[in-house]
Amino acid sequence: MRKFREFIIEKLVLLCGIASIFFVVLIFLFLLKEGFAVFKTVHPFAFLGGKSWYPISEPPRLGILPLILGSILVTVGAAIISIPIGVGCAIYIAEIAPKKTKEILKAGIELLAAIPSVVLGFIGMVTIVPLAKMLFHLPTGLTALSGSIMLAFMAMPTIVSIAEDALYSVPKTYKEGALAMGATHWQAIWRVMLRAASSGILAAVMLGIGRVIGETMAVMMITGNAAVIPHSFFAPVRTLTATIAAEMGEAVIGSEHYFALFAIGIVLFVISFGINVTADLFLHKRQ
Amino acid sequence: MNPHRTQKIAFSLLFLATFLVVALVGAIVVIIVQKGLPAMTWQFISDVPREGMRAGGIFPAIIGTLLLVGGAIVFALPIGLLAAIYLSEYARDGLLTRIIKLAIVNLAGVPSVVYGLFGLALFVVFFKFGVSIVSGSLTLGIMILPLIITASREALESVPRSFREVSLSLGASKWQTIQHIVLPNAIPGILTGTILGLGRAAGETAPILFTVAAFYLPQLPRSIFDQVMALPYHLYVISTQVPNVDEKIRYGTALVLLALVLFMNLIAIIIRYKFRMKKKW
Amino acid sequence: MVIFKIEKLNVRFGSVHALRDVSEEILEHEILTVIGPSNSGKSTLLRTLNRMNDLLPNLRITGTVELEGENIRRMDVEALRRRVGTVFALPLPLPLSIFDNVAYGPRMHGLRNKKKMAERVETALRQAYLWDEVKDRLHESAFKLSGGQQQRLCIARTLAVEPEVILFDEPCSGLDPISTAKVEDAMLKLKQRYTLVLVTNNVKQAARVGDRTAFFLNGELIEVDKTEKIFTVPRDNRTDDYIRGRFG
């Protein structure tokens, strides 16, 4: 009887363990199931490279290049801002800050991670957006730049915590060796620690970028949502995520528009899958 | 340049970067609290929205969010906990374990709006649950699954190996050992992870956009197959979709949502702290 | 009567050959002490006897171990561990009260009756010479006891399962001389009811409590004999060297 119970439990636990794989596959399958239909009418290359996104015109024109470029623009902007600041924060917290300050700073970063993205989007709307409009004399502050700034901020917890872990796990002897040879603390960090932690920091940056690409609500609220090929940081753009969030509500289930939005979901899924697998490889390389 | 001078400059810049981020976080919280507090009246918390959401309260949205979060946890906690038990107690190093871990990492990385699509395709359309609390809760549940697995696994693995050995050496079976020794000592960590998952679920908007959230529904749901309003979506709606909403209401809604999420985080931190204090080994 | 019969036992972990061709018998109501330098395979032997090694990956075992004529690999592992208890090197109380620590084993084996449980716990604590020190605070955390008390609690916990054999894995390595003497006292009395196997790094301890002593080196059983003989006229020079402290 006891043996039987142990057996059942072992199988049940295994089943739940496998559930994660099951869900990942299920998500991908259902995105494919709903999204693949769009390629009956639009060639995949035309879909990815098409320059106009007019999903409700007659006939609909379903090219997501403007959205891809929108995502890329916003992401690049966010990366430029967040990588130096984020890695800097990580260095400061891991290496320089005194113990008590460290705890406070970490709590602050954790707090940021806890704030819902819609709240940050709202705050961005009432702060960054009017500020951008005023500073750059723009017709609207809802721009790629505003989105990049907000997203850079939102990527911070991911970048800081993973990069800090990476720095923390560099063996103490590395640093001590450098210091013993007469290097200053900063030289030890710059020449030895950063290099030793490089694969972990790279993973941190990648996961931060993954977070940025996938971010939806804040970006939708402050980038202006113009589905045109962007030419400047100071113009409104629309990202892949925002397109799905903004348009799925109106898309008729089973329509081409609906399929196209799922196809965008496939693109996002593939991107995030690629980023996460690569980042995971980097993290394991470190160990 | 003098290396000590370089160090001074570098450290100042790093300090500045860190200070900037943390100060902004603080500023955001302060702004929301300051501007949101004037809206905090009993009526705001307990009344339904009125006049096209330009007056009244946010009661249905609060209840909706609580229901969704409750549903998500009912689904995600058992599966997540058992999965964590598998990984920490039963799994051997091998291909399967590697793939499961990779799947968890990926599940955590899937953009929230893609969860929304998935929930729409699977629960709303395929299972015909419709736009409903069930669909939304299940979608949120799958989304927080990786968080619960990871936290629970860490909690289980932090229970010393030696406890397991002692229990097994006394002739207890594997499951008895887990049930009587490992789980009781991992509960604070599991609880912490679960509450953080709750907080995450409460704040997410994109996964509920097409699976449950109602634009304007000034009443409470009667069954789990009804739509509900939810706080994050409500905040989105009144800040972008409805013109001329009093700023006070927007900030008030943001404050309630923020307070709800931070309250959960606070509980998690307190549990973690108390547990560390009285940790017995 | 032979309790354990070990024949041509080889244990490997991956590429490490931890025990080589060990054959030996363990007799009823004796204290067999096992000595040898670290990594000589003493603890591996112990952990093989109640299959605690099963938990380790990459384990390969050849040869047989029989408990009263029954191959332990074919026995139900929990039943085996009930009959063959272990006391570990460090005092390892479970994070429970004193009472619940001792009651843990019987409880897992289905003893529900409260009165019987109380009796079982008291008997075990008395046998481990701990009862008088803890009888008034049975429901305090076991971590409040001193190191020596904790180790005797662990002995009591093992006794409460009512095993036939008790394996001691360097049980006094973390204890002061007085606590050690108490534990040794307990072992000498326990031998009337149980069979004891004591792995120890302390040669003098082996001389004090062992009926027979086995000397291990690099995974091989060099020799085993009556303790007096091992300590006075060992057959192998290496045994002599070890006992006289020339290596290890």
Side-chain angles (χ1 to χ4, degrees):
Chain A
M1 189 56 210
R2 195 162 96 175
K3 285 281 143 197
F4 181 68
R5 204 179 64 169
E6 294 280 329
F7 177 80
I8 294 292
I9 286 166
E10 203 173 323
K11 293 300 164 224
L12 182 70
V13 160
L14 173 68
L15 206 69
C16 290
I18 294 175
S20 306
I21 305 178
F22 174 71
F23 284 130
V24 172
V25 173
L26 201 66
I27 291 174
F28 191 55
L29 284 182
F30 266 84
L31 292 179
L32 279 184
K33 174 177 175 286
E34 303 283 348
F36 221 72
V38 80
F39 298 126
K40 278 184 210 148
T41 48
V42 189
H43 190 272
F45 289 127
F47 180 72
L48 291 173
K51 287 181 188 154
S52 35
W53 174 261
Y54 300 120
I56 39 181
S57 66
E58 199 53 58
R61 296 172 68 184
L62 303 168
I64 62 167
L65 189 65
L67 316 175
I68 294 178
L69 291 178
S71 274
I72 291 177
L73 186 68
V74 172
T75 304
V76 167
I80 291 171
I81 303 169
S82 66
I83 293 171
I85 298 184
V87 176
C89 277
I91 296 174
Y92 188 79
I93 292 176
E95 279 291 310
I96 304 166
K99 203 166 178 224
K100 274 215 168 135
T101 322
K102 189 174 172 163
E103 292 303 313
I104 297 171
L105 294 175
K106 280 176 105 167
I109 303 281
E110 262 183 58
L111 179 65
L112 175 56
I115 301 177
S117 81
V118 66
V119 172
L120 289 172
F122 169 67
I123 284 293
M125 276 178 62
V126 295
T127 55
I128 301 176
V129 171
L131 199 68
K133 181 176 173 181
M134 195 184 72
L135 280 181
F136 303 108
H137 307 288
L138 300 170
T140 169
L142 299 166
T143 59
L145 180 69
S146 316
S148 290
I149 294 172
M150 201 63 218
L151 285 175
F153 193 53
M154 295 174 80
M156 225 44 97
T158 312
I159 297 182
V160 175
S161 67
I162 298 173
E164 195 221 327
D165 272 352
L167 285 167
Y168 188 77
S169 58
V170 172
K172 280 231 163 20
T173 48
Y174 283 36
K175 186 172 121 193
E176 281 161 6
L179 292 178
M181 286 178 0
T184 61
H185 189 181
W186 169 245
Q187 285 170 326
I189 294 171
W190 184 247
R191 304 224 177 109
V192 181
M193 302 282 294
L194 281 181
R195 198 157 300 168
S198 59
S199 63
I201 292 177
L202 207 59
V205 167
M206 292 183 67
L207 291 173
I209 290 177
R211 174 86 213 273
V212 168
I213 295 177
E215 172 50 44
T216 311
M217 296 314 289
V219 116
M220 177 160 68
M221 290 162 86
I222 55 185
T223 54
N225 288 324
V228 289
I229 292 186
H231 294 286
S232 138
F233 266 115
F234 301 104
V237 293
R238 167 182 276 190
T239 63
L240 294 166
T241 50
T243 306
I244 301 174
E247 294 179 6
M248 187 49 97
E250 275 97 64
V252 180
I253 292 178
S255 69
E256 235 171 284
H257 188 195
Y258 173 89
F259 296 139
L261 293 176
F262 269 94
I264 297 178
I266 300 175
V267 174
L268 281 169
F269 183 87
V270 169
I271 294 173
S272 86
F273 192 87
I275 288 179
N276 281 293
V277 171
T278 325
D280 196 60
L281 287 178
F282 278 118
L283 283 177
H284 276 266
K285 191 175 137 202
R286 178 159 60 101
Q287 285 148 9
Chain B
M1 209 196 310
N2 178 336
H4 289 280
R5 185 115 174 251
T6 319
Q7 164 156 325
K8 216 167 190 181
I9 296 171
F11 281 13
S12 311
L13 284 176
L14 293 179
F15 169 75
L16 225 62
T18 317
F19 180 76
L20 179 77
V21 174
V22 176
L24 281 175
V25 178
I28 288 176
V29 175
V30 169
I31 291 175
I32 293 177
V33 171
Q34 205 180 26
K35 295 208 175 178
L37 268 183
M40 288 306 117
T41 57
W42 177 241
Q43 192 212 4
F44 186 68
I45 303 288
S46 66
D47 197 5
V48 298
R50 295 176 193 284
E51 296 169 32
M53 294 179 269
R54 290 181 188 86
I58 53 171
F59 185 61
I62 297 177
I63 294 300
T65 286
L66 293 179
L67 285 174
L68 287 175
V69 165
I73 218 71
V74 164
F75 170 77
L77 183 59
I79 296 184
L81 183 55
L82 289 176
I85 290 177
Y86 173 76
L87 286 172
S88 120
E89 309 296 322
Y90 288 88
R92 302 206 159 207
D93 279 338
L95 189 64
L96 180 66
T97 310
R98 185 87 187 83
I99 295 177
I100 291 177
K101 285 181 181 167
L102 204 60
I104 292 171
V105 168
N106 268 300
L107 218 47
V110 171
S112 57
V113 72
V114 174
Y115 276 106
L117 286 181
F118 167 67
L120 171 66
L122 180 66
F123 301 122
V124 178
V125 177
F126 187 76
F127 284 142
K128 299 195 173 65
F129 292 155
V131 175
S132 65
I133 297 177
V134 197
S135 302
S137 287
L138 289 173
T139 309
L140 286 173
I142 295 177
M143 189 193 73
I144 60 172
L145 196 58
L147 211 159
I148 291 185
I149 296 178
T150 313
S152 305
R153 193 177 133 223
E154 267 171 31
L156 293 166
E157 283 178 352
S158 74
V159 177
R161 287 267 145 218
S162 58
F163 289 178
R164 297 176 176 80
E165 291 217 345
V166 166
S167 170
L168 292 172
S169 82
L170 291 167
S173 70
K174 188 155 192 162
W175 177 247
Q176 283 179 321
T177 301
I178 295 168
Q179 197 185 355
H180 294 277
I181 299 295
V182 183
L183 274 181
N185 288 293
I187 277 184
I190 294 168
L191 221 56
T192 309
T194 307
I195 296 170
L196 290 178
L198 284 173
R200 172 88 198 280
E204 277 292 348
T205 319
I208 58 172
L209 275 178
F210 344 114
T211 52
V212 51
F215 189 81
Y216 179 48
L217 189 71
Q219 62 184 32
L220 296 182
R222 283 191 208 87
S223 90
I224 54 169
F225 293 101
D226 283 353
Q227 278 186 282
V228 280
M229 295 182 79
L231 274 176
Y233 183 56
H234 185 63
L235 175 59
Y236 168 71
V237 165
I238 58 174
S239 34
T240 62
Q241 310 286 305
V242 186
N244 305 324
V245 176
D246 189 355
E247 212 182 41
K248 213 171 73 172
I249 292 185
R250 289 179 179 164
Y251 276 106
T253 308
L255 177 59
V256 172
L257 176 57
L258 188 68
L260 186 71
V261 171
L262 293 190
F263 177 66
M264 289 178 189
N265 278 267
L266 187 70
I267 294 178
I269 290 168
I270 291 173
I271 291 175
R272 197 158 47 179
Y273 180 76
K274 279 208 159 172
F275 177 61
R276 267 192 207 151
M277 289 286 102
K278 66 168 212 195
K279 201 165 186 172
K280 301 169 206 133
W281 58 84
Chain C
M1 189 183 130
V2 176
I3 297 287
F4 268 116
K5 187 166 184 212
I6 303 163
E7 256 176 298
K8 296 223 161 121
L9 178 66
N10 279 278
V11 178
R12 291 183 184 82
F13 306 109
S15 60
V16 181
H17 200 161
L19 283 180
R20 298 162 195 265
D21 271 333
V22 174
S23 298
E24 161 62 355
E25 287 176 348
I26 298 171
L27 309 172
E28 199 175 15
H29 299 310
E30 73 166 346
I31 300 184
L32 174 71
T33 55
V34 180
I35 57 172
S38 41
N39 292 325
S40 59
K42 303 170 300 200
S43 294
T44 305
L45 175 73
L46 224 52
R47 295 176 59 93
T48 306
L49 292 182
N50 64 354
R51 289 178 57 188
M52 287 302 282
N53 275 339
D54 286 15
L55 304 174
L56 301 172
N58 299 325
L59 172 83
R60 273 181 305 144
I61 297 181
T62 59
T64 55
V65 179
E66 287 178 355
L67 174 61
E68 291 174 40
E70 208 181 336
N71 188 335
I72 61 166
R73 301 226 69 82
R74 287 197 211 106
M75 287 171 70
D76 176 71
V77 67
E78 283 115 41
L80 170 69
R81 289 178 189 152
R82 261 172 93 169
R83 290 170 65 184
V84 183
T86 308
V87 176
F88 294 93
L90 294 170
L92 290 173
L94 295 169
L96 302 167
S97 71
I98 294 170
F99 184 92
D100 287 335
N101 257 280
V102 182
Y104 183 78
R107 209 167 261 159
M108 292 306 108
H109 301 124
L111 181 61
R112 294 273 174 270
N113 184 316
K114 278 198 175 161
K115 204 173 145 230
K116 276 192 186 150
M117 181 65 89
E119 282 169 17
R120 183 84 78 94
V121 170
E122 182 176 340
T123 315
L125 284 169
R126 280 188 192 282
Q127 285 179 342
Y129 296 93
L130 191 60
W131 175 252
D132 292 329
E133 291 163 53
V134 300
K135 64 182 177 204
D136 301 320
R137 48 180 183 139
L138 288 172
H139 295 285
E140 280 179 26
S141 161
F143 289 94
K144 289 197 176 156
L145 297 174
S146 72
Q149 289 174 325
Q150 286 188 7
Q151 193 59 308
R152 277 178 284 145
L153 176 71
C154 293
I155 295 175
R157 186 175 61 194
T158 304
L159 294 174
V161 182
E162 300 182 338
E164 296 161 38
V165 184
I166 306 175
L167 311 172
F168 290 86
D169 190 357
E170 301 177 24
C172 302
S173 53
L175 301 185
D176 61 83
I178 295 173
S179 306
T180 302
K182 283 190 180 168
V183 171
E184 286 179 8
D185 252 13
M187 286 193 281
L188 285 170
K189 300 234 165 69
L190 288 173
K191 138 177 127 166
Q192 285 146 30
R193 300 159 136 266
Y194 306 93
T195 301
L196 273 60
V197 182
L198 167 66
V199 161
T200 178
N201 268 330
N202 180 342
V203 177
K204 286 181 191 142
Q205 184 171 50
R208 284 195 297 267
V209 300
D211 294 309
R212 290 192 308 141
T213 296
F215 173 61
F216 275 77
L217 187 63
N218 297 331
E220 275 178 81
L221 173 59
I222 303 298
E223 68 176 297
V224 51
D225 211 329
K226 290 236 164 7
T227 300
E228 314 89 82
K229 279 202 178 158
I230 290 281
F231 278 85
T232 51
V233 283
R235 273 168 287 154
D236 196 295
N237 286 337
R238 290 170 291 181
T239 314
D240 199 36
D241 287 347
Y242 179 72
I243 289 166
R244 288 166 194 279
R246 288 200 192 119
F247 68 87

